[in-house]
């Protein structure tokens, strides 16, 4: 209180405060950047449209297109349905949409929802699929889990990835209700729903479906590896300071040929079972191999695609070199490479082999297909190997019993047939009639012949 009786209040700061710039569109956070399950840009656009209560068609044609200074008709994006996959890819369409969406949402990391980081490395051809693929079990799990958002991972768009990383089942590529293929981005796209019939595409894991074929063991092993290595590429994208340059592909081939084949391109090509001139073109940087080809090569070399491309100097120490597939090493002209034994991976592969319920194989064949020596596998995992072997022995015994039963039945029928035709049912005559002529070597089958003859009073 002042002397004149007036009260003094604190003074106000009337300086203008700076308000950060607002985004024109809702700043929807992209999912999983820096992880193998990063969202796709097409899926992000669908979610962004949903957040604005409009369809993707409205969002693109009334909002995004006016910001794209390009001659191609993005307004007609939906008439080029099969090309909408390019939105997730490495070309101009991906670049334009990333640029406009980054400026409208003020997110600076939307390029990682596409493959733009790898634009110089992988050719467009057979890189991404032209239609949507999804795991119905993932959708259902996300739907029933409170904290999970339904979205479309970018990894589902790779042509090379056909199996779900979690459920070990093939991805769906056709709506089970309207039987239509679904483009990556359609006028009425919504993550988890069919844009044509609006049906929910999720299914509970225990729900039996007739068209749900399980991947074979060999396919599963291949897919597990493909998904892992592609996931690693996607997860690494934000950590690279700049997109990789085209030259590193040629350098990677030169490095491998030089270091492990003493510069002998022919030996390297022979080991990969690829024409020498192709490898030579890759080494010279004249052509880039497709992703599918790089995947196969890296699988044989047992090195991840990321390591293949970015490992600058492979140490001379042989234990640093990725394991080589045993069946690729018969060529004496190739430098003998020591096998690095990845214990965790080998165990995982053996366990997976044992769990899947496909036709069992002998341990030698299993080891060969997994790329390890049988001896090493037995030394590290004797129980798993013995279990795989026992499964095969059991299978062979059961098959033999079934085969003999079938032979006996065929013999019985043949004897009756000959008898009605008035022909003597000799072993030679019946052999000609049977599917497996050598079956009389088995005494049970011979006994069945005698019993059948006895039945029609041809034998005492
Ligand atoms: Zn799944
Ligand atoms: Zn449908």
């Amino acid at each position: 209180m002042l002397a004149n009786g007036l009260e003094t209040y604190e003074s106000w700061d009337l300086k203008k405060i700076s308000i950060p710039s607002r985004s024109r569109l809702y700043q929807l956070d992209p999912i999983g950047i820096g992880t193998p399950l990063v969202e796709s840009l097409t899926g992000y656009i669908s979610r962004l449209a949903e957040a604005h209560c409009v369809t993707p068609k409205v969002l693109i044609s009334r909002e995004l297109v006016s910001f794209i200074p390009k001659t191609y008709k993005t307004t007609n994006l939906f008439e080029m349905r099969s090309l909408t996959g390019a939105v997730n890819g490495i070309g101009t369409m991906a670049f334009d949409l990333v640029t406009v969406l980054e400026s409208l949402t003020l997110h600076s990391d939307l390029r990682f929802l596409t493959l733009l980081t790898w634009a110089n490395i992988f050719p467009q051809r057979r890189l991404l699929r032209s239609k949507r693929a999804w795991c119905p079990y993932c959708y259902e799990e996300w739907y029933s889990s409170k904290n999970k958002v339904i979205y479309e991972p970018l990894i589902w768009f790779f042509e090379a990835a056909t199996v779900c990383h979690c459920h070990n089942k093939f991805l769906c590529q056709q709506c089970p209700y309207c039987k239509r293929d679904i483009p990556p981005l359609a006028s009425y796209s919504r993550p988890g729903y069919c844009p044509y019939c609006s049906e929910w595409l999720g299914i509970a894991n225990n729900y039996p479906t007739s068209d749900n074929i399980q991947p074979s063991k060999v396919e599963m092993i291949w897919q597990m590896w493909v998904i892992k290595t592609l996931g690693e590429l996607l997860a690494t994208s934000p950590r690279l300071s700049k997109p990789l340059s085209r030259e590193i592909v040629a350098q990677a081939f030169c490095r491998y040929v030089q270091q492990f084949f003493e510069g002998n391109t022919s030996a390297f090509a022979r080991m990969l079972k690829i024409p020498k001139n192709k490898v030579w073109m890759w080494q010279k940087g004249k052509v880039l191999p497709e992703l599918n080809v790089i995947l196969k090569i890296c699988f044989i070399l047992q090195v991840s695609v990321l390591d293949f491309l970015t490992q600058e100097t492979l140490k001379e120490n042989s234990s640093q070199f990725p394991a080589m597939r045993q069946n690729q090493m018969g060529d004496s002209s190739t430098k003998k490479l020591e096998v690095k034994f990845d214990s965790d991976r080998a165990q995982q592969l053996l366990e997976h082999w044992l769990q899947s319920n496909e036709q069992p194989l002998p341990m030698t064949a299993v080891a060969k297909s997994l790329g390890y020596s049988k001896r090493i596998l037995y030394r590290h995992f004797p129980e798993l190997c013995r279990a795989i072997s026992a499964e095969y022995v059991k299978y062979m015994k059961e098959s033999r019993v079934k085969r003999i039963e079938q032979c006996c039945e065929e013999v019985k029928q043949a004897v009756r047939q000959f008898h009605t035709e008035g022909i003597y049912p000799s072993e030679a005559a019946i052999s000609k009639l049977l599917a497996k002529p050598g079956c009389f070597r088995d005494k049970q089958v011979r006994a069945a012949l005698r019993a059948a003859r006895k039945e029609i009073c041809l034998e005492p």
Side-chain angles (χ1 to χ4, degrees), residues 175 177-180 194 196-199:
C175 170
Y177 305 99
C178 67
K179 308 285 177 206
R180 290 181 71 172
C194 172
Y196 298 122
C197 66
S198 305
E199 287 288 348

Side-chain angles (χ1 to χ4, degrees), residues 48-165:
L48 188 63
E50 199 170 40
H52 284 274
C53 299
V54 296
T55 63
K57 184 176 187 168
V58 170
L59 179 73
I60 290 186
S61 59
R62 299 213 196 142
E63 190 63 23
L64 307 189
V65 88
S66 55
F67 294 93
I68 297 176
K70 287 288 163 187
T71 46
Y72 64 72
K73 299 210 169 61
T74 317
T75 29
N76 293 337
L77 196 62
F78 303 104
E79 272 134 49
M80 316 185 281
R81 286 180 189 92
S82 62
L83 298 179
T84 52
V87 171
N88 298 323
I90 56 174
T92 327
M93 203 188 270
F95 181 80
D96 286 345
L97 277 166
V98 162
T99 311
V100 66
L101 280 164
E102 283 188 348
S103 75
L104 295 179
T105 60
L106 298 182
H107 269 301
S108 58
D109 48 5
L110 298 186
R111 60 195 59 244
F112 304 123
L113 310 187
T114 69
L115 296 182
L116 283 171
T117 310
W118 307 95
N120 300 324
I121 307 294
F122 304 124
Q124 295 251 21
R125 201 168 166 266
R126 303 198 58 201
L127 181 61
L128 294 177
R129 53 176 106 249
S130 57
K131 54 184 179 176
R132 229 166 94 186
W134 64 93
C135 173
Y137 311 103
C138 278
Y139 275 157
E140 193 67 26
E141 271 181 29
W142 298 339
Y143 185 80
S144 40
S145 158
K146 271 187 195 148
N147 311 319
K148 296 224 168 126
V149 178
I150 293 148
Y151 78 111
E152 285 165 33
L154 184 52
I155 202 161
W156 287 353
F157 285 91
F158 278 106
E159 199 182 292
T162 56
V163 168
C164 166
H165 57 284

Side-chain angles (χ1 to χ4, degrees), residues 389-415:
S389 215
E391 196 189 46
Y392 177 67
V393 170
K394 186 171 158 240
Y395 166 76
M396 289 306 282
K397 276 186 187 163
E398 284 169 3
S399 314
R400 185 170 178 273
V401 170
K402 264 190 219 152
R403 201 173 58 239
I404 289 173
E405 275 172 7
Q406 198 191 338
C407 272
C408 292
E409 186 53 35
E410 283 176 16
V411 165
K412 217 160 109 182
Q413 283 179 13
V415 169

